[in-house]
């Protein structure tokens, strides 16, 4: 057994010697490196020196800005018609108004709820006013006045009635 062990030791030493000789030849001819950056000259690696990775001054490149098309604002809404309310007649809850509208040649015209006056619809006729509507806009015309004013929703507070207290 000792001969077999000696033979094995000799074979191992020969293999190690062959490997050592091969490594010396390889080291003499070319450089073996684990990191490929080591092969580059320092002049090519100046980016990290010029702009350090964690410097507060380092920023992402600016994103390209797409041109924005200018949009023209919508035209202002047309003004309300110039209307003069000359009279209002109400029969059985159905009202009619006698009006003079500008552009109609000073003719007096009778209108009812739902009629068209210069592109505005007659919404309702009350005892002393005429209400015209166009889309979301609405205009009130009072009896015997010549100016139009945009109507605003009027919020009326609720009245609280007190119970009659016995007087002493």
């Amino acid at each position: 057994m000792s001969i077999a062990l000696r033979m094995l030791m000799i074979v191992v030493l020969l293999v190690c010697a062959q490997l050592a000789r091969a490594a010396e030849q390889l080291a003499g001819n070319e450089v073996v490196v684990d990191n490929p950056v080591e092969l580059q000259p320092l002049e090519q690696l100046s980016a990290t020196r010029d702009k350090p990775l964690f410097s507060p001054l380092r920023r992402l490149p600016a994103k390209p800005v797409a041109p924005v098309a200018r949009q023209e604002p919508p035209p202002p809404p047309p003004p309300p018609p110039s209307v003069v309310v000359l009279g209002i007649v109400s029969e059985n809850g159905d009202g009619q108004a006698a009006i003079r509208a500008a552009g109609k040649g000073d003719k007096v015209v009778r209108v009812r709820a739902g009629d068209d006056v210069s592109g505005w619809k007659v919404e309702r006729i009350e005892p002393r006013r005429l209400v015209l509507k166009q889309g979301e806009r609405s205009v009130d015309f009072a009896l015997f006045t010549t100016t139009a004013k945009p109507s605003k929703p009027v919020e009326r507070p609720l009245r609280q009635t007190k119970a009659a207290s016995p007087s002493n």
Side-chain angles (χ1 to χ4, degrees):
M1 283 243 188
S2 69
I3 296 177
L5 187 57
R6 283 185 199 174
M7 291 296 275
L8 181 63
M9 295 275 282
I10 292 173
V11 171
V12 169
L13 284 175
L14 287 175
V15 170
C16 286
Q18 289 293 333
L19 287 175
R21 224 180 278 141
E24 286 176 12
Q25 287 178 355
L26 189 58
N29 294 340
E30 53 183 75
V31 179
V32 177
V33 291
D34 293 331
N35 189 351
V37 176
E38 290 181 29
L39 297 176
Q40 297 181 2
L42 287 177
E43 293 79 32
Q44 288 183 349
L45 301 174
S46 63
T48 56
R49 184 181 61 232
D50 296 341
K51 290 185 178 182
L53 185 61
F54 297 105
S55 169
L57 302 176
R58 187 175 175 110
R59 299 281 183 249
L60 290 173
K63 294 181 180 178
V65 179
V68 178
R70 288 187 58 133
Q71 293 181 353
E72 295 296 323
S82 177
V83 173
V84 176
V85 180
L86 301 173
I88 295 177
V89 177
S90 178
E91 292 180 16
N92 300 328
D94 184 29
Q96 291 185 2
I99 63 169
R100 183 181 308 139
K104 299 273 185 177
D106 289 339
K107 287 175 66 178
V108 177
V109 180
R110 285 189 194 184
V111 293
R112 292 183 174 186
D115 288 350
D116 183 69
V117 178
S118 301
W120 290 68
K121 182 180 176 185
V122 177
E123 184 177 13
R124 65 180 181 270
I125 299 173
E126 296 177 356
R128 297 193 53 90
R129 81 181 174 136
L130 169 71
V131 180
L132 300 180
K133 185 174 183 178
Q134 184 183 46
E136 297 293 320
R137 299 172 55 203
S138 130
V139 180
D140 292 349
F141 293 94
L143 188 61
F144 303 119
T145 61
T146 58
T147 59
K149 61 177 183 175
S151 68
K152 295 179 184 173
V154 178
E155 192 173 323
R156 297 181 180 156
L158 295 174
R159 293 185 187 179
Q160 294 182 352
T161 57
K162 295 182 180 179
S165 61
S167 57
N168 291 337

